[in-house]
């Protein structure tokens, strides 16, 4: 398990069981200001291809780019609409 905060602090946990992983991650989260991101369950590309809903990783990347643009002075680019017919997201026009 990896834990990171917005300040750039990172923790990698290799614990004996899930109970200890949660206990230590909670403690780290409190020390990091009560707001962290956690990454779990790493997988190979083949495992991801076989288990993920098609297009969801690309959608996440697009949404992240839109949020990043809106936070850096592009409020119009931060507005988006879901393109149901073609999939993906595009800036609102």
């Amino acid at each position: 398990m990896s834990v990171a905060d917005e300040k750039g602090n990172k923790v990698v946990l290799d614990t004996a069981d899930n109970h200890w992983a949660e206990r230590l991650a909670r403690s780290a989260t409190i020390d990091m200001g009560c707001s962290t991101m956690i990454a779990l369950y790493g997988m190979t590309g083949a495992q991801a291809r076989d288990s993920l809903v098609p297009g969801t990783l690309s959608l996440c990347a697009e949404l992240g780019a839109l949020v990043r643009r809106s936070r850096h002075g592009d409020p119009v680019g931060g507005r988006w609409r879901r393109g149901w017919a073609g999939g993906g997201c595009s800036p609102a026009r």
Side-chain angles (χ1 to χ4, degrees), residues 3-59:
V3 182
D5 68 10
E6 77 284 358
K7 296 176 280 300
N9 298 309
K10 300 171 214 71
V11 176
V12 177
L13 301 171
D14 185 11
T15 59
D17 57 31
N18 290 338
H19 172 79
W20 277 106
E22 181 176 350
R23 185 173 176 175
L24 294 172
R26 283 178 184 267
S27 296
T29 297
I30 291 167
D31 289 338
M32 295 166 121
C34 297
S35 179
T36 60
M37 284 65 62
I38 296 177
L40 302 165
Y41 313 117
M43 62 178 77
T44 66
Q47 289 171 318
R49 186 176 46 252
D50 293 340
S51 61
L52 296 175
V53 175
T56 54
L57 288 179
S58 297
L59 177 59

Side-chain angles (χ1 to χ4, degrees), residues 42-90:
M43 62 178 77
T44 66
Q47 289 171 318
R49 186 176 46 252
D50 293 340
S51 61
L52 296 175
V53 175
T56 54
L57 288 179
S58 297
L59 177 59
C60 289
E62 283 185 67
L63 291 172
L66 289 168
V67 168
R68 191 171 38 258
R69 280 198 303 256
S70 71
R71 288 183 178 171
H72 290 89
D74 183 9
V76 175
R79 294 181 60 227
W80 61 277
R81 61 179 168 78
R82 181 72 168 96
W84 295 109
C89 295
S90 59

